Amino acid sequence: EVQLVESGGGLVQPGRSLRLSCTASGFTFGDYAMSWVRQAPGKGLEWVGFIRSKAYGGTTEYAASVKGRFTISRDDSKSIAYLQMNSLKTEDTAVYYCTRGRYYYDSWGQGTMVTVSS
Amino acid sequence: EIVLTQSPGTLSLSPGERATLSCRASQSVSSSYLAWYQQKPGQAPRLLIYGASSRATGIPDRFSGSGSGTDFTLTISRLEPEDFAVYYCQQYGSSPTFGQGTKVEIK
């Protein structure tokens, strides 16, 4: 069974940093691109970015709203994807979901809440 | 950026009825790169349809997707109690974007 478990969320002040982790199990992690999607309270879904598998260069793409502030990385030996979030803004407050896939997302984690507030 | 507009915002129906949800794109979605998700309160979204019309693993056949270009439809042939939820479309032909969602509520 595919499982994705996010961790690392919490309350952080504007301008600070936070790193989220996504621990995967139940599939060959290194074979898949991994994406992050977020959902602000009471709002819809927003794509954040993705990282390709090593077979496709392990490169990344980001939404314009986070480009230059957020970085996605992966450790295939540990089956973990990371989302490093710097220079956080109040509008980054959301539940952050780790998902499997680059195009459409066939597996989702339960999400981790990030609150950016002073 | 491709903007997806879903209609209606809310659909009030009874169990057993047919639900038809629309997703319109601001420009053509290449290769029918269109997916649909279901989200229930407090839960993560679940993939229903990809490639505009292919059902994801384990999705009942009462869910079907159709459309191409700029107009796409999700149809639930007969609503079951567990189908009342919010539904999102998503395009992945270019930088991924989601529609704002359609809530299917019990009438």
Side-chain angles (χ1 to χ4, degrees):
Chain A
E1 179 194 4
V2 174
Q3 279 202 315
L4 300 172
V5 179
E6 302 93 338
S7 59
L11 175 63
V12 61
Q13 293 179 326
R16 305 297 290 263
S17 299
L18 202 62
R19 188 178 80 161
L20 306 183
S21 300
C22 169
T23 303
S25 61
F27 64 102
T28 305
F29 181 77
D31 288 349
Y32 287 84
M34 298 297 294
S35 300
W36 289 89
V37 175
R38 68 184 181 182
Q39 186 170 36
K43 302 298 184 182
L45 302 168
E46 180 186 16
W47 171 70
V48 172
F50 73 86
I51 184 166
R52 296 175 177 84
S53 66
K54 290 291 195 296
Y56 289 87
T59 51
T60 53
E61 303 285 345
Y62 300 97
S65 58
V66 307
K67 195 170 186 178
R69 299 189 299 122
F70 289 12
T71 301
I72 299 172
S73 60
R74 63 190 300 155
D75 184 338
D76 291 351
S77 68
K78 296 181 180 178
S79 297
I80 300 177
Y82 299 100
L83 177 63
Q84 176 68 42
M85 303 184 293
N86 299 332
S87 302
L88 281 161
K89 305 175 182 180
T90 55
E91 53 263 41
D92 294 321
T93 294
V95 174
Y96 284 74
Y97 293 103
C98 169
T99 70
R100 188 177 77 167
R102 168 187 173 181
Y103 297 111
Y104 56 86
Y105 315 120
D106 62 3
S107 296
W108 296 62
Q110 84 288 351
T112 188
M113 183 70 203
V114 173
T115 303
V116 184
S117 175
S118 54
Chain B
E1 172 180 295
I2 297 179
V3 176
L4 299 178
T5 302
Q6 293 186 239
S7 61
T10 302
L11 200 51
S12 299
L13 295 168
S14 301
E17 289 193 293
R18 181 184 189 90
T20 302
L21 288 66
S22 173
C23 177
R24 180 161 291 177
S26 60
Q27 55 188 281
S28 184
V29 176
S30 58
S31 303
S32 295
Y33 284 165
L34 195 287
W36 289 92
Y37 301 85
Q38 176 194 68
Q39 186 177 32
K40 297 179 181 179
Q43 296 185 17
R46 176 175 70 145
L47 176 68
L48 300 174
I49 301 287
Y50 63 93
S53 60
S54 298
R55 268 188 303 277
T57 303
I59 301 304
D61 60 7
R62 64 179 181 273
F63 291 92
S64 63
S66 63
S68 64
T70 61
D71 289 294
F72 298 87
T73 300
L74 174 70
T75 301
I76 310 171
S77 58
R78 287 177 57 84
L79 282 164
E80 296 289 339
E82 62 267 28
D83 298 336
F84 292 91
V86 178
Y87 292 83
Y88 294 96
C89 58
Q90 176 228 344
Q91 66 78 26
Y92 48 95
S94 63
S95 186
T97 53
F98 291 87
Q100 82 281 16
T102 289
K103 182 179 181 180
V104 179
E105 65 175 22
I106 300 176
K107 185 175 181 179

